[in-house]
Short mmCIF file of all heavy atoms in Angstrom, two decimals:
data_model
loop_
_atom_site.label_atom_id
_atom_site.label_comp_id
_atom_site.label_asym_id
_atom_site.label_seq_id
_atom_site.Cartn_x
_atom_site.Cartn_y
_atom_site.Cartn_z
N PHE A 9 33.46 -12.63 67.84
CA PHE A 9 33.39 -12.45 66.38
C PHE A 9 31.97 -12.66 65.88
O PHE A 9 31.45 -11.87 65.09
CB PHE A 9 34.35 -13.43 65.69
CG PHE A 9 34.06 -13.65 64.23
CD1 PHE A 9 34.39 -12.68 63.29
CD2 PHE A 9 33.41 -14.81 63.80
CE1 PHE A 9 34.09 -12.88 61.95
CE2 PHE A 9 33.11 -15.00 62.46
CZ PHE A 9 33.45 -14.03 61.53
N LEU A 17 25.28 -8.24 59.93
CA LEU A 17 24.29 -8.86 59.06
C LEU A 17 22.88 -8.34 59.30
O LEU A 17 22.09 -8.25 58.36
CB LEU A 17 24.33 -10.38 59.21
CG LEU A 17 25.54 -10.97 58.47
CD1 LEU A 17 25.69 -12.43 58.75
CD2 LEU A 17 25.45 -10.73 56.98
N LEU A 32 10.48 -0.68 44.55
CA LEU A 32 9.07 -0.78 44.15
C LEU A 32 8.34 0.55 44.31
O LEU A 32 7.57 0.96 43.44
CB LEU A 32 8.35 -1.84 44.98
CG LEU A 32 8.77 -3.29 44.76
CD1 LEU A 32 7.92 -4.21 45.63
CD2 LEU A 32 8.63 -3.66 43.29
N GLY A 40 3.57 6.62 38.17
CA GLY A 40 2.35 7.34 38.50
C GLY A 40 2.38 8.81 38.14
O GLY A 40 1.35 9.41 37.86
N THR A 41 3.59 9.39 38.13
CA THR A 41 3.67 10.82 37.84
C THR A 41 3.76 11.12 36.35
O THR A 41 3.68 12.28 35.95
CB THR A 41 4.90 11.46 38.53
OG1 THR A 41 6.05 10.67 38.23
CG2 THR A 41 4.72 11.56 40.03
N ASP A 44 1.43 11.59 30.49
CA ASP A 44 1.13 11.17 29.12
C ASP A 44 1.04 9.65 29.05
O ASP A 44 1.94 8.95 29.48
CB ASP A 44 2.23 11.69 28.19
CG ASP A 44 1.93 11.38 26.75
OD1 ASP A 44 1.04 12.03 26.19
OD2 ASP A 44 2.57 10.46 26.20
N ALA A 47 3.81 7.91 27.06
CA ALA A 47 5.07 7.96 27.80
C ALA A 47 5.05 6.95 28.95
O ALA A 47 6.04 6.30 29.25
CB ALA A 47 5.31 9.37 28.33
N LEU A 60 11.27 -4.85 38.94
CA LEU A 60 10.80 -5.98 39.74
C LEU A 60 11.93 -6.98 39.98
O LEU A 60 12.04 -7.56 41.05
CB LEU A 60 9.62 -6.67 39.05
CG LEU A 60 8.32 -5.87 39.01
CD1 LEU A 60 7.24 -6.64 38.27
CD2 LEU A 60 7.84 -5.54 40.42
N VAL A 84 27.99 -21.23 67.61
CA VAL A 84 29.07 -20.97 68.56
C VAL A 84 29.72 -22.28 69.04
O VAL A 84 30.87 -22.31 69.47
CB VAL A 84 28.55 -20.10 69.74
CG1 VAL A 84 27.83 -20.96 70.78
CG2 VAL A 84 29.67 -19.30 70.38
N GLN A 85 29.00 -23.41 68.95
CA GLN A 85 29.52 -24.72 69.36
C GLN A 85 30.76 -25.12 68.56
O GLN A 85 31.73 -25.62 69.11
CB GLN A 85 28.47 -25.83 69.15
CG GLN A 85 27.10 -25.58 69.74
CD GLN A 85 27.08 -25.72 71.25
OE1 GLN A 85 27.71 -26.62 71.79
NE2 GLN A 85 26.38 -24.82 71.91
N ILE A 92 28.43 -24.24 57.44
CA ILE A 92 27.19 -24.96 57.08
C ILE A 92 26.04 -23.96 56.94
O ILE A 92 25.27 -23.99 55.99
CB ILE A 92 26.86 -26.05 58.15
CG1 ILE A 92 27.92 -27.15 58.08
CG2 ILE A 92 25.47 -26.63 57.91
CD1 ILE A 92 27.90 -28.10 59.26
N THR A 102 19.51 -18.25 46.82
CA THR A 102 19.56 -18.50 45.38
C THR A 102 18.20 -18.99 44.89
O THR A 102 17.70 -18.55 43.85
CB THR A 102 20.63 -19.56 45.04
OG1 THR A 102 21.88 -19.12 45.55
CG2 THR A 102 20.75 -19.78 43.54
N LYS A 126 -3.88 -1.52 28.54
CA LYS A 126 -4.75 -0.55 29.20
C LYS A 126 -4.28 0.87 28.87
O LYS A 126 -5.08 1.72 28.50
CB LYS A 126 -4.71 -0.79 30.71
CG LYS A 126 -5.54 0.20 31.51
CD LYS A 126 -5.37 -0.03 33.00
CE LYS A 126 -5.32 1.28 33.74
NZ LYS A 126 -4.85 1.14 35.12
N LYS A 141 -10.65 10.19 19.86
CA LYS A 141 -11.16 8.90 19.37
C LYS A 141 -10.04 8.18 18.63
O LYS A 141 -9.31 8.79 17.84
CB LYS A 141 -12.33 9.19 18.42
CG LYS A 141 -13.06 7.96 17.97
CD LYS A 141 -14.08 8.32 16.89
CE LYS A 141 -14.15 7.17 15.89
NZ LYS A 141 -14.53 7.58 14.55
N GLU A 154 3.14 8.39 3.52
CA GLU A 154 3.40 7.14 2.78
C GLU A 154 4.42 6.26 3.49
O GLU A 154 4.30 5.04 3.51
CB GLU A 154 3.92 7.44 1.36
CG GLU A 154 2.85 7.91 0.40
CD GLU A 154 2.79 9.43 0.35
OE1 GLU A 154 3.16 10.08 1.36
OE2 GLU A 154 2.40 9.95 -0.70
N LYS A 191 0.26 -15.00 23.19
CA LYS A 191 0.06 -16.28 23.86
C LYS A 191 0.65 -17.39 23.00
O LYS A 191 0.38 -17.47 21.79
CB LYS A 191 -1.43 -16.49 24.05
CG LYS A 191 -1.72 -17.61 25.02
CD LYS A 191 -3.19 -17.60 25.36
CE LYS A 191 -3.58 -18.86 26.09
NZ LYS A 191 -5.00 -18.87 26.42
N LEU A 200 5.23 -15.59 23.80
CA LEU A 200 5.61 -15.68 22.39
C LEU A 200 6.03 -14.29 21.90
O LEU A 200 5.30 -13.33 22.06
CB LEU A 200 4.43 -16.20 21.57
CG LEU A 200 4.75 -16.69 20.17
CD1 LEU A 200 5.56 -17.97 20.22
CD2 LEU A 200 3.47 -16.92 19.39
N ILE A 207 11.58 -10.52 4.20
CA ILE A 207 10.79 -10.40 2.98
C ILE A 207 11.17 -11.56 2.08
O ILE A 207 12.30 -11.68 1.64
CB ILE A 207 11.05 -9.05 2.29
CG1 ILE A 207 10.56 -7.92 3.20
CG2 ILE A 207 10.34 -8.99 0.94
CD1 ILE A 207 10.84 -6.55 2.67
N THR A 214 2.90 -5.60 -10.18
CA THR A 214 1.87 -6.52 -10.68
C THR A 214 1.55 -7.64 -9.69
O THR A 214 0.49 -8.24 -9.77
CB THR A 214 2.34 -7.16 -12.00
OG1 THR A 214 3.67 -7.64 -11.82
CG2 THR A 214 2.30 -6.17 -13.14
N GLU A 218 5.63 -11.32 -0.34
CA GLU A 218 5.39 -12.18 0.81
C GLU A 218 6.40 -11.88 1.92
O GLU A 218 7.58 -11.67 1.66
CB GLU A 218 5.54 -13.65 0.42
CG GLU A 218 4.23 -14.27 0.02
CD GLU A 218 4.42 -15.73 -0.38
OE1 GLU A 218 5.57 -16.15 -0.61
OE2 GLU A 218 3.43 -16.43 -0.44
N CYS A 225 8.91 -18.74 21.35
CA CYS A 225 8.42 -18.69 22.73
C CYS A 225 9.63 -18.70 23.67
O CYS A 225 10.48 -19.57 23.57
CB CYS A 225 7.51 -19.88 23.03
SG CYS A 225 6.98 -19.92 24.75
N SER A 230 9.21 -23.09 21.54
CA SER A 230 8.57 -23.47 20.28
C SER A 230 8.55 -22.29 19.32
O SER A 230 8.49 -21.13 19.73
CB SER A 230 7.17 -24.02 20.53
OG SER A 230 6.30 -22.98 20.88
N GLY A 239 1.12 -5.88 0.04
CA GLY A 239 0.32 -5.35 -1.07
C GLY A 239 1.17 -4.87 -2.24
O GLY A 239 2.32 -4.47 -2.06
N MET A 265 11.15 18.90 -7.66
CA MET A 265 11.61 17.84 -6.79
C MET A 265 10.75 16.59 -6.99
O MET A 265 9.53 16.67 -7.02
CB MET A 265 11.54 18.25 -5.32
CG MET A 265 12.16 17.23 -4.41
SD MET A 265 11.96 17.63 -2.68
CE MET A 265 10.46 16.75 -2.31
N GLU A 267 10.07 13.01 -5.22
CA GLU A 267 10.32 12.27 -3.99
C GLU A 267 9.82 10.84 -4.20
O GLU A 267 8.67 10.63 -4.59
CB GLU A 267 9.55 12.93 -2.85
CG GLU A 267 9.85 12.34 -1.50
CD GLU A 267 9.04 13.02 -0.40
OE1 GLU A 267 7.91 12.58 -0.17
OE2 GLU A 267 9.54 13.99 0.19
N TYR A 278 15.04 13.78 -5.61
CA TYR A 278 15.82 14.22 -6.76
C TYR A 278 15.32 15.58 -7.21
O TYR A 278 14.13 15.89 -7.11
CB TYR A 278 15.68 13.22 -7.91
CG TYR A 278 16.17 11.84 -7.56
CD1 TYR A 278 15.29 10.89 -7.07
CD2 TYR A 278 17.52 11.51 -7.69
CE1 TYR A 278 15.74 9.63 -6.72
CE2 TYR A 278 17.98 10.25 -7.34
CZ TYR A 278 17.08 9.31 -6.85
OH TYR A 278 17.52 8.07 -6.49
N PHE A 280 15.24 18.45 -10.39
CA PHE A 280 15.40 18.60 -11.83
C PHE A 280 15.14 20.04 -12.24
O PHE A 280 14.41 20.77 -11.59
CB PHE A 280 14.44 17.67 -12.57
CG PHE A 280 14.69 16.23 -12.24
CD1 PHE A 280 13.95 15.61 -11.24
CD2 PHE A 280 15.68 15.51 -12.90
CE1 PHE A 280 14.20 14.29 -10.90
CE2 PHE A 280 15.93 14.18 -12.56
CZ PHE A 280 15.19 13.57 -11.57
N ASP A 285 13.25 16.60 -17.98
CA ASP A 285 14.32 15.86 -17.30
C ASP A 285 13.72 14.90 -16.27
O ASP A 285 14.12 13.75 -16.15
CB ASP A 285 15.27 16.82 -16.57
CG ASP A 285 16.10 17.62 -17.55
OD1 ASP A 285 16.10 17.27 -18.75
OD2 ASP A 285 16.73 18.59 -17.11
N LEU A 290 12.19 9.44 -14.46
CA LEU A 290 11.20 8.53 -13.88
C LEU A 290 10.99 7.29 -14.75
O LEU A 290 10.77 6.19 -14.24
CB LEU A 290 9.87 9.26 -13.68
CG LEU A 290 9.82 10.16 -12.45
CD1 LEU A 290 8.51 10.95 -12.44
CD2 LEU A 290 9.93 9.34 -11.17
#
Side-chain angles (χ1 to χ4, degrees):
F9 162 76
L17 284 173
L32 292 182
T41 50
D44 184 73
L60 290 179
V84 81
Q85 308 286 320
I92 292 167
T102 304
K126 178 184 141 193
K141 187 188 145 208
E154 284 95 333
K191 194 169 169 181
L200 195 69
I207 295 176
T214 48
E218 267 179 344
C225 176
S230 73
M265 187 185 93
E267 187 181 87
Y278 299 94
F280 299 95
D285 290 348
L290 282 174

